[in-house]
Amino acid sequence: IPSVVMSYKDFLQAPPISELDAVRSRGATPLVTWEPWAWGGGVDQPAYSFARITAGDFDTYISQWGQSLAAWGKPVMLRFAHEMNGNWYPWAEGVNGNQTGEYAAAWRHVHDAIAATGATNVQWVWSPNVPYWGSTDLTGLFPGAGYVDIVALDGYNWGTSQTWSSWVSPVDLFAPGISQLRTLAPGKPVLIAETASSELGGSKASWNTDLVSYLAAQPDVMGFVWFDMQKETDWRINSSDTSASAFKSALLARRS
């Protein structure tokens, strides 16, 4: 049974209390990825610029979330504006009119607006993509240890599913980023907030086994969330019988 279940909400959606209840009823902690945009609207959305967020234009909406989460009262992880070191969302610096330094300022503003509602049950998850050549340096994006409870990474083994991609092992995918997180935020728990593997270009079954083994050997890694969807490629655990079997065996081996 998963101990964490993730959902995605944009800035047009209300706090998903019924979904939080459903996750909680299964004995899991909800992890809400909260995205400051109108979903599907593309990278250029000036209505959701960092300058507007920090100026307080969304404070009423943000406070509504805080009040609802505070009233709900149970532990919830809030992953605000993830993969900010890339360039594919309007909350990246260098796109959508956002300037250097504005991400961290907007994060602190949203954090403080939620905190002002008394939502002490919220854990803040700061979640960049695994660093890659050309990605924004993490140092300038980190809002400070007092504003973050959990540091996270998103990383995928795209295999040969894309023209630009090749097979990458779990350790090569995650070790450099985890090292950076430990330097930026010493002592903070680390979460792999999104991961999965393609079937194309190697053995997904072996990859699954290696992922669980590698992450289990990192004492500060609290867990991982598998992106169990057929999207750009077939990321699902059960994309093949061998993948599902290896995944199950690897997890069972950690429990025994």
Side-chain angles (χ1 to χ4, degrees):
I1 299 172
S3 58
V4 172
V5 177
M6 184 158 68
S7 60
Y8 295 81
K9 303 296 166 190
D10 69 7
F11 256 36
L12 298 174
Q13 291 171 283
I17 300 303
S18 62
E19 291 180 31
L20 303 187
D21 283 332
V23 172
R24 180 80 181 179
S25 72
R26 289 167 168 81
T29 301
L31 170 59
V32 181
T33 297
W34 197 20
E35 304 177 331
W37 70 335
W39 181 83
V43 170
D44 189 28
Q45 297 195 39
Y48 299 97
S49 68
F50 289 145
R52 289 201 68 203
I53 292 171
T54 306
D57 291 7
F58 295 94
D59 280 7
T60 300
Y61 170 72
I62 293 165
S63 296
Q64 176 200 350
W65 267 67
Q67 290 158 8
S68 293
L69 294 176
W72 189 64
K74 293 169 275 291
V76 55
M77 294 187 278
L78 197 58
R79 189 173 75 128
F80 176 68
H82 67 302
E83 298 178 3
M84 76 300 289
N85 57 328
N87 60 1
W88 46 85
Y89 288 127
W91 54 84
E93 293 182 354
V95 304
N96 199 35
N98 298 323
Q99 305 301 310
T100 300
E102 289 187 336
Y103 177 88
W107 175 287
R108 290 190 288 263
H109 181 88
V110 173
H111 176 284
D112 288 346
I114 295 281
T117 66
T120 55
N121 54 315
V122 171
Q123 282 190 300
W124 289 84
V125 181
W126 184 76
S127 184
N129 195 78
V130 287
Y132 59 92
W133 189 88
S135 64
T136 306
D137 186 68
L138 297 183
T139 307
L141 300 171
F142 187 62
Y147 289 88
V148 174
D149 300 299
I150 297 164
V151 290
L153 284 174
D154 293 0
Y156 291 84
N157 173 29
W158 293 80
T160 54
S161 67
Q162 312 295 314
T163 55
W164 49 263
S165 64
S166 58
W167 194 265
V168 59
S169 72
V171 63
D172 289 342
L173 180 62
F174 286 116
I178 289 175
S179 178
Q180 287 192 39
L181 293 183
R182 287 169 176 157
T183 302
L184 264 181
K188 298 282 185 189
V190 177
L191 176 69
I192 304 303
E194 291 184 30
T195 193
S197 175
S198 173
E199 289 275 1
L200 306 174
S203 166
K204 183 169 179 174
S206 296
W207 197 91
N208 296 349
T209 305
D210 292 346
L211 175 77
V212 173
S213 177
Y214 166 66
L215 295 179
Q218 312 306 310
D220 50 353
V221 173
M222 60 184 284
F224 66 92
V225 179
W226 189 276
F227 190 77
D228 196 45
M229 291 184 68
Q230 191 162 4
K231 196 180 173 190
E232 302 93 347
T233 186
D234 195 343
W235 300 118
R236 296 174 300 174
I237 292 166
N238 64 348
S239 54
S240 64
D241 290 344
T242 52
S243 169
S245 175
F247 194 84
K248 181 179 180 179
S249 296
L251 293 179
L252 286 173
R254 294 293 148 195
R255 293 181 63 184
S256 55

